[in-house]
């Protein structure tokens, strides 16, 4: 235990100061981004260097089913070796005792990284950048809704009651009064984040009823994906304390905007420390344009990773603050690829395609993979969009099946993300899609039952 405690991040040390550690949650992200693992007494954790979980957790669908043909010769469930990354040690401040969480990495019996573990996929992509002498930097933005408790799937989701006793109102973007309506929940989010050592760059009211956005400071892609992974749980726990739900569905409420995970990217030259998107005189470089071209050319094939569920595609609606295209422009939120206003040293490219329902490790990995391919291929993007990009035709898949077909055909993305990951991901997502197609919706019963 002593060796471990000396490697705790400062926030974990402060959280436990004067208290005895009771329990450690040993966790790992599955494909949907759900925390899987084991909770063990602190004394037992201090004696173990690793623990085992079956690799079947990566073949499980969001409904609890299983993807077929996990192995070419049939489904063979193997134990993985899960090793802790002590740099991720953080509090679980909503628990009734003194508990810490530690993210683990998955290895096979020969101590090779499990290729379809989401954190390993992101590490693989980041390493490709490092091999080129580049350091990728990202900053994710998290949008989500606070909604009334909903235990009946047949009932529509409704906004939560605010502090005033009135339901959260829509179309109040950036309203401080609207933010105040959720004050008690936001206070707990801040308190939990502080206990866990996370720095929130800001919280704003978005355009939907009860929709909020949290911005995180830019940094290492794996570290930021860890934080989004932790934040989803943190926010849900804060909401439950106040008799409401937090949801990260891409489109939880009809006629309201969807929730995105916008990803800002910049690339640092590891030798000089300079942003490769900006030249010596502050102008935009070839690398800047190549990165944008990579997003334009490869995001359609990667959409199945950034929009992983049938509901994800309901978000891509004109004039609802979500992109329907892969146009790019400076300071224009109607495009799928936006270049925010900034100094040359902070020049970055924002991918506005990813939904908040995607696994943060996989969403960031996919976005970086597209940009990496652009840097390697050295192609030029389409001309910058002028005006309202919603006026053009959409150029991303509109249904899950089409997106999966494009993903399956993209050998370039498979090589970057890992062929075995691509195979397993497709198996699981097609199982989910097939299950959805067996469900008859209220719309079908209302309009087709007596009319066709």
């Amino acid at each position: 235990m002593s060796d471990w405690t000396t490697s705790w991040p400062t926030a974990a040390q402060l959280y436990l100061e004067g208290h005895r550690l009771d329990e450690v949650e040993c966790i790992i992200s599955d494909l949907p981004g759900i925390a899987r693992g084991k909770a063990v007494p602190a004394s037992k954790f201090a004696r173990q260097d690793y623990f085992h979980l079956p690799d079947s957790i990566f073949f499980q669908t969001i409904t609890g089913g299983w993807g077929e043909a996990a192995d070419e010769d049939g489904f063979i469930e193997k134990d993985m070796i899960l090793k802790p990354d002590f740099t991720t040690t953080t509090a679980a401040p909503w628990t009734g005792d003194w508990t810490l969480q530690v993210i683990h990495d998955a290895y096979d019996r020969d101590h090779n990284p499990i290729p379809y573990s989401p954190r390993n996929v992101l590490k693989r992509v980041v390493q490709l950048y490092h091999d080129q002498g580049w350091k990728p930097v990202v900053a994710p933005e998290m949008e989500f809704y606070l909604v009334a408790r909903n235990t009946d799937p047949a009932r529509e989701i409704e906004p939560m009651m605010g502090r005033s006793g009135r339901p959260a109102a829509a179309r109040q973007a950036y309203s401080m009064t609207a933010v105040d309506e959720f004050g008690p929940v936001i206070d707990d989010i801040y308190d939990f984040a502080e206990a866990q050592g996370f720095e929130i760059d800001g919280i704003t009211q978005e355009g939907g009823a009860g929709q909020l956005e949290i911005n995180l400071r830019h940094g290492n892609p794996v570290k930021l994906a860890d934080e989004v992974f932790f934040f989803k749980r943190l926010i849900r726990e804060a909401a439950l304390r106040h008799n409401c739900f937090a949801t990260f569905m891409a489109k939880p409420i009809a006629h309201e905007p969807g929730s995105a995970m916008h990803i800002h990217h910049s690339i640092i030259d590891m030798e000089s420390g300079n942003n490769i998107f900006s030249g010596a005189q502050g102008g935009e470089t070839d690398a800047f344009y190549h990165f944008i071209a990579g997003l334009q050319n490869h995001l359609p094939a990667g959409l199945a990773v950034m929009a992983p569920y049938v509901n994800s595609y309901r978000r891509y609606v004109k004039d609802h603050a979500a992109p329907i295209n892969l146009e790019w422009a400076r300071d224009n939120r109607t495009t799928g690829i936006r270049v925010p206003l900034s100094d040359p040293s902070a020049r970055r490219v924002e991918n506005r395609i990813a939904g908040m329902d995607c696994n943060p490790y996989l969403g960031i990995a996919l976005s970086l993979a597209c940009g990496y391919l652009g840097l390697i291929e050295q192609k030029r993007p389409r001309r910058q969009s002028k005006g309202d990009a919603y006026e053009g035709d959409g150029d991303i898949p509109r249904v899950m099946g089409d997106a999966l077909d494009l993903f399956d055909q993209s050998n370039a993305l498979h090589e970057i993300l890992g062929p075995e990951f691509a195979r397993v991901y497709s198996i699981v997502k097609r199982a989910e899609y097939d299950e959805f197609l067996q469900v008859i919706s209220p719309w079908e019963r209302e309009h087709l039952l007596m009319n066709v």
Side-chain angles (χ1 to χ4, degrees), residues 24 33 37 44 63 88 129 172 189 195 289 298 312 344 383 415 419 423:
V24 177
K44 179 180 178 180
T63 63
T88 69
Y129 276 86
Q172 296 295 323
I189 290 173
Y289 291 106
H298 295 284
S312 308
R383 284 190 174 186
E415 287 303 312
R423 185 182 73 85

Side-chain angles (χ1 to χ4, degrees), residues 416-430:
I416 302 298
L417 301 172
E420 185 63 5
F421 161 74
R423 185 182 73 85
V424 169
Y425 188 82
S426 180
I427 287 170
V428 172
K429 290 301 163 183
R430 287 195 181 277

Side-chain angles (χ1 to χ4, degrees), residues 156-399:
E156 291 188 356
I157 296 173
E158 299 174 349
M160 69 166 285
M161 286 290 180
R163 193 173 53 131
S164 66
R166 302 176 64 185
R171 289 165 287 284
Q172 296 295 323
Y174 305 107
S175 165
M176 296 309 300
T177 301
V179 170
D180 290 342
E181 282 287 277
F182 317 119
V185 182
I186 291 175
D187 287 346
D188 276 349
I189 290 173
Y190 274 124
D191 289 345
F192 289 165
E194 183 179 1
Q196 293 187 248
F198 302 148
E199 186 174 356
I200 295 176
D201 208 33
I203 294 182
T204 57
Q205 165 75 23
E206 280 295 313
Q211 187 183 34
L212 298 172
E213 177 181 285
I214 291 180
N215 299 331
L216 301 181
R217 286 184 57 82
H218 61 275
N220 177 284
V222 178
K223 181 178 182 294
L224 268 297
D226 288 339
E227 290 193 12
V228 176
F229 174 59
F230 277 132
F231 256 106
K232 282 191 170 184
R233 189 177 182 197
L234 175 165
I235 293 167
R236 286 192 182 100
E237 291 291 342
L240 288 172
R241 281 195 168 191
H242 299 279
N243 199 36
C244 64
F245 288 171
T247 181
F248 302 94
M249 281 178 67
K251 185 79 167 182
I253 303 176
H255 311 301
E256 295 288 353
S259 291
M261 185 181 74
H262 299 151
I263 307 169
H264 295 247
H265 316 73
S266 56
I267 312 297
I268 304 302
D269 179 85
M270 295 173 71
E271 184 175 343
S272 68
N274 296 328
N275 184 345
I276 70 171
F277 291 165
S278 295
Q281 304 303 316
E284 295 160 344
T285 61
D286 287 341
F288 168 79
Y289 291 106
H290 295 157
F291 191 93
I292 292 173
L295 294 179
Q296 287 186 330
N297 294 333
H298 295 284
L299 275 178
L303 191 66
V305 176
M306 292 192 153
Y309 305 105
V310 173
N311 176 265
S312 308
Y313 297 82
R314 301 187 190 280
R315 175 175 155 254
Y316 302 119
V317 179
K318 281 187 177 184
D319 302 318
H320 270 69
I324 61 168
N325 58 70
L326 291 172
E327 301 300 325
W328 79 276
R330 297 172 180 84
D331 195 29
N332 184 339
R333 286 180 168 82
T334 69
T335 60
I337 302 167
R338 172 177 171 259
V339 179
L341 298 175
S342 70
D343 294 331
S345 62
R347 181 168 284 125
R348 60 196 185 273
V349 177
E350 178 189 10
N351 176 355
R352 297 176 61 80
I353 297 292
M356 196 60 227
D357 54 345
C358 77
N359 181 307
Y361 299 104
L362 299 181
I364 293 172
L366 189 283
S367 196
L368 286 173
C370 294
Y372 176 85
L373 285 169
L375 292 169
I376 297 301
E377 294 167 347
Q378 298 188 356
K379 295 180 180 178
R380 300 288 292 187
R382 302 197 292 261
R383 284 190 174 186
Q384 180 183 185
S385 175
K386 300 292 185 179
D388 187 352
Y390 286 132
E391 294 178 355
D393 294 328
D395 51 8
I396 58 176
R398 293 297 305 276
V399 295

Side-chain angles (χ1 to χ4, degrees), residues 5 8-20 89-91 98 100 194-197:
T5 58
W8 284 355
T10 302
Q13 296 180 18
L14 291 174
Y15 176 71
L16 279 182
E17 193 171 22
H19 300 280
R20 181 179 64 84
T89 305
T90 188
W98 296 94
L100 293 178
E194 183 179 1
Q196 293 187 248

